[in-house]
Amino acid sequence: SGDTLTVSFSVRNGGTRATRVDKWSDRIYVSQDTSLDIYDALLGTSTREGVLAPGETYDVTFNVRLPDSFGGNYNLIVYIDSPWSTAPVYSAVLPYPQAAGNPRIAQNGDAQGAVREFGNEGNGIRAVPLAVTERPRPDLRVTNVTAPESVLRGDSFTVAYTVQNQGGAVPDSVTRWIDYVYLSRDPFLDTRSDTYLGFLRHDGALAPGAEYSAGGTFRLPSSAVAGQAYYVIVLTDVPGAFTPFGEVIEVAGGEANNARESTTPMLIIQPPPSDLVIENVTGTGAVEPGGSITVNWTGRNQSATPARGIWADAVYLSLDGVWDYGDVLLGRSDDVRRELGQNQTYQASLITEL
């Protein structure tokens, strides 16, 4: 499986007149039997150009690649002037030779193909036996996941992990797959309830025994509860809507061992509160009722704890300079996402009517 074959065949016009068209497609398929159906796999297409006279022949030789991860007794089917090409993809295309899911081939155009042969359409297809030896399948496993022992709520943290191939070589037709990172209350992955943190992409195949290390920085989600411990779980070769087994077809049972949790859970710590203060308030413009006024101010975080979030500032009119519920609201600034370290500031303003 996965090998490249050189296929050669000859085509002869056994009729009494030349073809009415000068272009058609000859195709090669692999099949579990000697007849063509929608779950056979198209291996290659050769385009014939030129009218074929009665008794005239042409020879075709080209290379085709067998699908990965299958073995047994099969057939190569050569179909001259074939109307069957790759099917449109509307759902998952399962690994060959599974006869389920989205069809692999579909009829495109006239059932007779481009060349009208009428009563002789049935002799343009031929099957030859093909014995296929399956190569050992890969077995991807996450062998190690590391995360910090603790993290402050609202902070980011770094995850590192290693993936090893404990089976056969990943086929060279597979050059990329995706790893997902989750946060979980227990060491068991449940994609319906665990919190998705992000993904990392791996490029390149993986030989038997080879491994790769990856990692990234992720923001702790707001749903993480202070005082609780969470596991970081990494899932390699994530399945997709059209690839239910992921990109890498693995050994039997290998798809079930693609996730691993961090060795120890990560404790979520509630940080001390930050302390925002407003400074340098200035107002310009008219002071009579109904006039317009512009208010400018500076916000500063005077604590050692970073201030993160989305917030707005409100401007009031007060008789005594001390805010209370009786003061008149003039307006509020727009909501802005900010992150302020110790003594970092931001500028804001509001234009309103008195």
Side-chain angles (χ1 to χ4, degrees), residues 34-86:
T34 57
S35 60
L36 199 64
D37 64 62
I38 61 173
Y39 289 112
D40 292 335
L42 173 63
L43 300 183
T45 299
S46 174
T47 300
R48 162 68 183 184
E49 295 185 355
V51 172
L52 197 64
E56 186 180 4
T57 64
Y58 65 88
D59 298 321
V60 178
T61 298
F62 66 106
N63 294 328
V64 297
R65 187 184 186 281
L66 291 176
D68 299 308
S69 307
F70 81 109
N73 294 318
Y74 291 82
N75 290 273
L76 278 183
I77 295 180
V78 178
Y79 193 167
I80 306 305
D81 185 29
S82 169
W84 289 82
S85 58
T86 302

Side-chain angles (χ1 to χ4, degrees), residues 231-294:
Y231 289 88
V232 175
I233 299 179
V234 175
L235 173 64
T236 190
D237 189 29
V238 176
F242 297 102
T243 53
F245 299 99
E247 298 294 337
V248 182
I249 307 304
E250 302 186 45
V251 297
E255 306 292 346
N257 61 19
N258 286 4
R260 187 182 182 92
E261 74 283 0
S262 53
T263 306
T264 57
M266 182 174 62
L267 180 64
I268 311 302
I269 299 175
Q270 180 67 43
S274 53
D275 186 7
L276 297 176
V277 295
I278 299 297
E279 301 172 331
N280 304 324
V281 180
T282 62
T284 60
V287 294
E288 66 275 5
S292 178
I293 185 172
T294 300

